[in-house]
Amino acid sequence: VEEKAETLARALAAVRGQGFHGLVFLIDELSEFLLSKPDAAHRNDDARTLQLLGETADHAPLWVVAAVQESIEAAGDIASPTLRKIKDRYPVLLRLSTLHIRDLIERRLVKKKPGADEEVYRIWQAYRTNFPAFACEHDLFRRIYPVHPTTLSLLEGLGALFSQHRGIVDFVHARLAGDPRRGIVGILDRPAAELLAPDAIYEHFSGRLAEFSDFNLYPRHLVPHLDEVIDRAIPQPADRALARRLVRILVLYAIHPAAEPPTARALAEMTGCMLAAHDPDLNAGFVA
């Protein structure tokens, strides 16, 4: 059994021997990998390997790129000196935020047809007319369409409930295009003014919510009960669908760590309830 440094040196020599100039080492799910170890000893042994890779990269043609869902500190009980050395050896840190998610939506997840910008502008104008408090600028609306801006902000605040950025990408893709394997119906065949609203967050992550003791009351008991009440109390199918969406949005605000409960006007905007552009109060009044 050879030392880690010897194994790494042998690997780099083999790379050069094959005519390559260097080695790129990609590690996905690094925090999950460390957390999967059975005890602190194994975890610290892997952490020292990371330290070695970082030290080697200072003087050898080695590039290490690691994806960490959480901070490295959250990856378990790693010895403080080793943790400090890892941070010193990996000075370049790229943080993903909702700004990057917006770029992903615009450039990769949603491809708009020629002439779509004019139609998107008309939809943005309709939201501005029906909901005077709608504060989303046109440029942002165009970039993230057909995702409602509040949907993105709620996803950011609820990131602790799921693998944040990968979960958001999966959410946007599946809820827009649909995923028959999971029984998810996309929204591309719905009216163009119907945005991907926050109620879709609940639908997508309700199974995840059920795993948390603080939140499982909602998917296990409260939402199914209210759905039954809605079916009994509201005769029109479209109104029932709206009521169910409102319940799910209110659940998200109930579990959000910082968001204030939404007003009827905000709920009307999120659900795209456009009854009378000439009288926006009717939209909020109907929702109330």
Side-chain angles (χ1 to χ4, degrees), residues 7 16-17 26 44 52 71 80 93 98 141 162 168 196 245 266 274 277 284 286:
T7 305
R16 292 191 184 97
L26 304 176
N44 277 279
L52 171 64
S71 66
S80 297
L93 184 64
T98 50
F141 187 86
F162 42 86
I168 293 176
L196 187 64
R245 295 182 68 196
M274 303 183 191
F286 184 74

Side-chain angles (χ1 to χ4, degrees), residues 174-180 182-190 196:
R175 293 289 155 177
L176 291 183
D179 186 345
R182 290 183 282 177
I184 299 174
V185 179
I187 70 168
L188 297 181
D189 291 330
R190 298 182 190 175
L196 187 64

Side-chain angles (χ1 to χ4, degrees), residues 141-180:
F141 187 86
R142 180 189 59 80
R143 291 178 61 198
I144 66 174
Y145 175 86
V147 180
H148 195 290
T150 304
T151 303
L152 285 185
S153 61
L154 283 174
L155 281 168
E156 177 80 357
L158 295 168
L161 298 180
F162 42 86
S163 176
Q164 187 175 18
H165 300 99
R166 185 183 59 198
I168 293 176
V169 171
D170 173 68
F171 163 77
V172 173
H173 178 267
R175 293 289 155 177
L176 291 183
D179 186 345

Side-chain angles (χ1 to χ4, degrees), residues 68-84:
V68 182
Q69 296 296 334
E70 309 294 340
S71 66
I72 193 69
E73 291 88 347
D77 45 354
I78 298 173
S80 297
T82 303
L83 195 59
R84 287 196 298 270

Side-chain angles (χ1 to χ4, degrees), residues 187-246:
I187 70 168
L188 297 181
D189 291 330
R190 298 182 190 175
E194 185 175 331
L195 304 181
L196 187 64
D199 57 288
I201 300 175
Y202 176 88
E203 297 290 1
H204 198 78
F205 295 106
S206 58
R208 184 77 171 123
L209 288 179
E211 298 174 6
F212 290 82
S213 58
D214 291 343
F215 304 138
N216 63 21
L217 170 70
Y218 295 103
R220 293 185 186 276
H221 302 290
L222 185 61
V223 172
H225 166 70
L226 290 176
D227 282 348
E228 292 177 3
V229 173
I230 288 168
D231 287 340
R232 291 197 305 267
I234 301 179
Q236 296 298 326
D239 295 346
R240 287 200 298 266
L242 175 61
R244 284 192 287 267
R245 295 182 68 196
L246 294 171

Side-chain angles (χ1 to χ4, degrees), residues 12 15-16 19-24 60-63:
L12 287 170
V15 167
R16 292 191 184 97
F20 295 101
H21 295 292
L23 175 66
V24 178
L62 172 66
W63 290 263

